[in-house]
Amino acid sequence: NAGVTQTPKFQVLKTGQSMTLQCAQDMNHEYMSWYRQDPGMGLRLIHYSVGAGITDQGEVPNGYNVSRSTTEDFPLRLLSAAPSQTSVYFCASSYGSSGNTIYFGEGSWLTVV
Amino acid sequence: AQSVTQLDSHVSVSEGTPVLLRCNYSSSYSPSLFWYVQHPNKGLQLLLKYTSAATLVKGINGFEAEFKKSETSFHLTKPSAHMSDAAEYFCVVIRAGSYQLTFGKGTKLSVIP
């Protein structure tokens, strides 16, 4: 049981490049989400999904795209990377809402130069 | 709407002395509350969670937190700090029936030998 797996762990991009952060979970969780973590800001929600084929925007969605074609996978796409997207990205998943434990991936460190 | 305020951005304690990390929350509906810990360059690990059962919640590594509805607080405590407790701690709220987490901005705990 691998839990939540994120790849890559580290990435350096040039401004304007695109890339996809991968997230996969093997717990059959319906809810998946992406957060970014910036110093002194905590974690902020980018996009989330409550099931295959359903996605919605979070607090900071601009510049990011997501899709949920399967229960297991929830990739995050940076369409045209900007230095402001330099951050640590976390994928999370849970079964059901509210009090159920949320599981986080190990994080992806992204630098845009 | 919901929000979380971690009252201290940085707490420093001596090894063997008590730890108190403060968290106040605001939520329109009955919330679930979590504390997560993040060690440097690592992902987030669940310490404990409150989901409307007992108000005093015991977590891993000797941590506990008390839910006080009248004070809208969920402070994290540990009787005796260990060097391995040095990390950043996040208080997180999610309202009943929701999937979306709201994070505090984090408290960095330093433990002095």
Side-chain angles (χ1 to χ4, degrees):
Chain A
N1 189 336
V4 180
T5 304
Q6 283 182 239
T7 55
K9 193 168 179 73
F10 300 99
Q11 183 73 49
V12 178
L13 279 180
K14 293 183 179 179
T15 298
Q17 284 185 319
S18 62
M19 77 157 297
T20 299
L21 299 176
Q22 301 290 346
C23 177
Q25 52 89 10
D26 60 358
M27 297 173 281
N28 200 31
H29 286 171
E30 60 195 37
Y31 179 71
M32 297 184 74
S33 53
W34 277 102
Y35 293 84
R36 60 176 289 171
Q37 182 182 23
D38 302 292
M41 303 289 289
L43 275 75
R44 293 179 293 168
L45 181 65
I46 305 172
H47 284 285
Y48 66 97
S49 168
V50 298
I54 305 169
T55 64
D56 207 345
Q57 296 181 352
E59 181 185 354
V60 288
N62 292 340
Y64 306 96
N65 205 354
V66 292
S67 60
R68 184 95 178 268
S69 56
T70 67
T71 299
E72 294 78 19
D73 300 299
F74 191 46
L76 178 72
R77 297 182 188 85
L78 279 70
L79 307 172
S80 177
S84 61
Q85 293 179 302
T86 293
S87 188
V88 184
Y89 292 84
F90 288 96
C91 181
S93 75
S94 67
Y95 182 75
S97 60
S98 57
N100 291 306
T101 299
I102 299 97
Y103 296 84
F104 287 87
E106 290 278 300
S108 297
W109 274 253
L110 176 66
T111 301
V112 182
V113 297
Chain B
Q2 56 195 28
S3 65
V4 176
T5 302
Q6 291 184 241
L7 296 164
D8 305 291
S9 59
H10 191 193
V11 170
S12 184
V13 301
S14 296
E15 189 175 17
T17 65
V19 175
L20 170 63
L21 305 183
R22 298 181 295 167
C23 172
N24 286 350
Y25 71 92
S26 169
S27 179
S28 303
Y29 300 93
S30 300
S32 293
L33 292 151
F34 305 80
W35 276 99
Y36 280 86
V37 60
Q38 184 182 31
H39 288 91
N41 299 318
K42 297 290 186 183
L44 290 98
Q45 180 184 19
L46 178 67
L47 275 179
L48 50 80
K49 65 178 180 181
Y50 166 78
T51 56
S52 76
T55 56
L56 182 62
V57 182
K58 293 187 184 299
I60 62 171
N61 300 333
F63 285 94
E64 62 181 38
E66 187 171 8
F67 174 74
K68 292 187 176 180
K69 187 175 181 179
S70 61
E71 299 176 11
T72 60
S73 69
F74 190 57
H75 302 334
L76 182 70
T77 60
K78 183 174 180 178
S80 175
H82 191 273
M83 294 299 295
S84 61
D85 295 328
E88 189 157 22
Y89 293 78
F90 292 95
C91 183
V92 183
V93 65
I94 184 170
R95 69 173 174 83
S98 172
Y99 290 92
Q100 297 189 45
L101 304 173
T102 299
F103 282 79
K105 296 190 180 198
T107 298
K108 186 174 181 181
L109 176 66
S110 297
V111 182
I112 303 165

